[in-house]
């Protein structure tokens, strides 16, 4: 199967909670079976509206804060300034917000398994097949996201200052003006998180992450044909849903994982975006950084040098990918991505993320890298990495 044949089927909007996502899961299932894999659908309950609910919560808090300040109720403004970050954390990070009231749906991770003749260890390769449409792409929304903590601190200081000035009978013109600024930020946060609801043209998710799914399908076809003989390393190829709504699919996969063999996880993001390959040095949550597993990254670097004639490039861009779910559980893991300068960030989560952005020549070269990576990992013993603390994976140059 060629990349173009895969894209003809795959590159349609596949949003969480949609019928198209379920149809894509069934197509991945049938395609995996045709490629000789033992295929499993892993169902889980997904909350597809988590970010939409978070955005509406930010809008309500912002407008309520402004209303309270205009009435000189700065005590209420202070409470709302405390409530917003707590609400966002519970909704997006902890999965305890009210988005479930908007509806939960059963979705599936699709797992393709290829067993080695005498398995001693396992490589899990992953990519997410769900898509998302936002009002702003990753580059445009970054300033709003990075200003979240300063904006919350400012809201608390403004409310405290307004309350103090009311107690002393002083003018609150300054705190009221700053409350307008705080409310404006909350509106911007609403547009970042929920603005995609108002976009008519939906993203087909070419680079995010259809190209990676296509590459792993091509790799699965080669494994099924016996073109990549592995003596002792079994391979699982996992297509996750729910990545775009808080990594829900990969979290569900890790929670039910009962793997008796030592294993590692290699995630794929935006493959085919450009000729250069990199790995992300860490994944982030709201409160913690999880460093990539450097022994694994070094093995992948060896494969890149052999297959492509150039090393993997470390990238410290703050990201949140399915790798985080594995690093949180102490599993050796790393995310591989490709890029050409920073243009790959432009247009993600929009209708512009179409197949014209995928560089087929780069994707073919990356497929060769994956084949060599499996050979290198087959010659590596994972047992020494098992049950190691993530603290020992601090990133160092390759």
């Amino acid at each position: 199967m060629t990349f173009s044949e895969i894209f003809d089927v795959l590159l349609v909007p596949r949003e969480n909670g949609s019928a198209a996502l379920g149809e894509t899961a069934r197509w991945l299932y049938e395609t995996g079976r045709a490629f000789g894999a033992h295929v499993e659908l892993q169902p889980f309950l997904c909350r597809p509206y988590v970010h939409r609910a978070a955005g509406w919560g930010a809008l309500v808090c912002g407008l309520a804060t402004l209303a309270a300040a205009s009435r000189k109720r700065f005590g209420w403004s202070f409470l709302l300034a405390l409530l917003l970050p707590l609400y966002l954390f519970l909704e997006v990070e902890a999965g305890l917000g009210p988005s479930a009231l908007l509806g939960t749906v059963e979705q599936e991770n699709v797992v393709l398994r290829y067993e080695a003749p005498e398995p001693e260890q396992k490589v899990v390769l992953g990519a997410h097949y769900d898509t998302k449409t936002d009002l702003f792409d990753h580059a445009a929304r970054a300033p709003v996201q990075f200003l979240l903590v300063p904006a919350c601190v400012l809201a608390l200081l403004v409310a405290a200052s307004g309350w103090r000035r009311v107690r002393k009978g002083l003018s609150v013109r300054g705190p009221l003006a700053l409350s307008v600024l705080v409310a404006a930020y909350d509106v911007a946060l609403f547009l970042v998180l929920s603005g995609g609801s108002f976009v008519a043209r939906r993203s087909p998710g070419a680079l995010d992450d259809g190209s990676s799914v296509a590459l792993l399908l091509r790799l699965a076809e080669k494994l099924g044909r016996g073109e990549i003989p592995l003596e002792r390393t079994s391979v699982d190829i996992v297509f996750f849903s729910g990545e775009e709504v808080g990594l829900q699919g990969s979290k569900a996969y890790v929670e039910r994982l009962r793997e008796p063999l030592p294993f590692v996880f290699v995630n794929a993001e935006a493959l085919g975006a450009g000729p250069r390959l990199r790995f992300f040095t860490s994944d982030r949550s709201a409160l913690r950084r999880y460093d990539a597993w450097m022994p694994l990254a070094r093995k992948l670097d060896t494969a890149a040098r052999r297959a492509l004639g150039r090393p993997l490039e470390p990238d410290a861009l703050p990201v949140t990918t399915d790798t985080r779910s594995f690093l949180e559980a102490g599993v050796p893991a790393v995310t591989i991505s490709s890029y050409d300068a920073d243009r790959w960030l432009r247009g993600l989560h929009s209708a512009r993320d179409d197949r014209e952005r995928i560089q087929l020549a780069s994707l073919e070269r990356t497929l060769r890298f994956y084949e060599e990576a499996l050979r290198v990992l087959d010659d590596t013993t994972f047992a020494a990495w098992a049950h190691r603390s993530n603290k020992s994976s601090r990133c160092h140059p390759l």
Side-chain angles (χ1 to χ4, degrees):
M1 182 177 284
T2 67
F3 281 123
S4 292
E5 290 171 335
I6 295 172
F7 293 151
D8 286 342
V9 179
L10 182 63
L11 297 189
V12 298
R14 313 174 297 278
E15 301 195 21
N16 290 284
S18 70
L21 187 74
E23 293 168 2
T24 302
R26 299 306 184 276
W27 178 76
L28 291 171
Y29 178 89
E30 295 299 336
T31 303
R33 290 185 60 186
F35 290 167
H38 172 75
V39 188
E40 178 185 349
L41 290 175
Q42 292 187 344
F44 66 95
L45 278 181
C46 180
R47 297 173 294 112
Y49 310 112
V50 56
H51 289 122
R52 305 303 189 224
W56 281 101
L59 179 63
V60 170
C61 278
L63 296 179
T65 296
L66 185 58
S70 66
R71 292 171 172 79
K72 300 183 180 181
R73 305 283 183 83
F74 287 99
W76 284 104
S77 295
F78 190 86
L79 290 176
L80 288 166
L82 288 174
L83 176 63
L84 179 57
L86 176 61
Y87 169 72
L88 293 176
F89 177 81
L90 291 175
E91 184 67 82
V92 178
E93 294 287 341
L96 300 175
S99 62
L101 299 177
L102 300 176
T104 58
V105 295
E106 185 176 276
Q107 294 184 182
E108 294 109 352
N109 298 321
V110 185
V111 184
L112 280 57
R113 291 199 166 97
Y114 295 91
E115 297 291 339
E118 298 181 4
E120 300 176 11
Q121 57 193 23
K122 177 173 285 189
V123 174
V124 181
L125 304 175
H128 71 90
Y129 69 95
D130 58 319
T131 64
K132 185 181 181 184
T133 300
D134 282 330
L135 191 60
F136 305 110
D137 64 22
H138 287 57
R141 75 189 190 198
V144 176
Q145 292 176 311
F146 290 152
L147 287 173
L148 177 59
V149 173
C152 290
V153 172
L154 176 63
L156 290 170
L157 293 176
V158 168
S161 174
W163 179 80
R164 179 173 175 272
R165 294 182 74 83
V166 168
R167 289 285 301 271
K168 292 187 174 184
L170 301 175
S171 170
V172 294
R173 184 175 300 175
L176 182 57
L178 290 174
S179 294
V180 173
L181 182 62
V182 170
Y185 174 82
D186 290 341
V187 171
L189 188 58
F190 161 73
L191 293 175
V192 164
L193 293 171
S194 301
S197 302
F198 310 109
V199 178
R201 298 180 60 226
R202 315 304 290 178
S203 172
L207 286 178
D208 190 17
D209 198 19
S211 56
S212 300
V213 171
L215 183 141
L216 293 184
L217 281 175
R218 287 283 306 276
L219 189 70
E221 187 176 27
K222 288 178 174 288
L223 286 167
R225 291 176 177 172
E227 296 178 18
I228 313 173
L230 303 175
E231 294 298 324
R232 62 197 187 103
T233 305
S234 297
V235 178
D236 279 7
I237 295 176
V238 187
F239 301 113
F240 298 108
S241 69
E243 192 269 355
E244 299 286 11
V245 287
L247 317 178
Q248 293 184 53
S250 57
K251 288 178 181 178
Y253 177 87
V254 170
E255 285 172 359
R256 68 182 63 178
L257 192 60
R258 299 293 183 270
E259 179 56 59
L261 298 174
F263 73 102
V264 299
F265 175 68
V266 181
N267 189 43
E269 286 280 354
L271 298 182
R276 297 150 63 188
L277 280 181
R278 61 181 168 177
F279 74 97
F280 293 121
T281 59
S282 64
D283 263 67
R284 310 296 175 95
S285 69
L287 301 177
R288 185 177 173 186
R289 185 185 76 183
Y290 298 88
D291 295 311
W293 193 267
M294 287 308 299
L296 175 58
R298 293 189 185 98
K299 293 297 180 180
L300 297 175
D301 177 69
T302 298
R305 293 173 189 270
R306 291 180 184 176
L308 307 177
R310 62 170 58 180
L312 285 181
E313 300 179 29
D315 194 316
L317 187 72
V319 297
T320 302
T321 74
D322 283 318
T323 292
R324 193 185 93 186
S325 300
F326 290 82
L327 291 175
E328 285 177 330
V331 175
V334 69
T335 292
I336 301 296
S337 181
S338 59
Y339 68 116
D340 186 2
D342 287 328
R343 290 189 296 273
W344 71 282
L345 283 171
R346 303 290 180 180
L348 296 183
H349 290 187
S350 78
R352 289 180 292 160
D353 188 19
D354 58 25
R355 66 194 297 171
E356 298 302 319
R357 287 163 52 87
I358 301 173
Q359 300 181 19
L360 288 178
S362 297
L363 205 56
E364 291 284 359
R365 284 168 51 84
T366 305
L367 180 58
R368 295 201 298 272
F369 157 74
Y370 264 78
E371 293 178 44
E372 186 61 33
L374 288 179
R375 297 186 185 100
V376 168
L377 292 174
D378 193 43
D379 292 334
T380 303
T381 300
F382 300 166
W385 299 346
H387 309 301
R388 295 276 300 277
S389 167
N390 190 48
K391 293 180 181 178
S392 65
S393 69
R394 297 297 180 191
C395 187
H396 304 284
L398 291 172

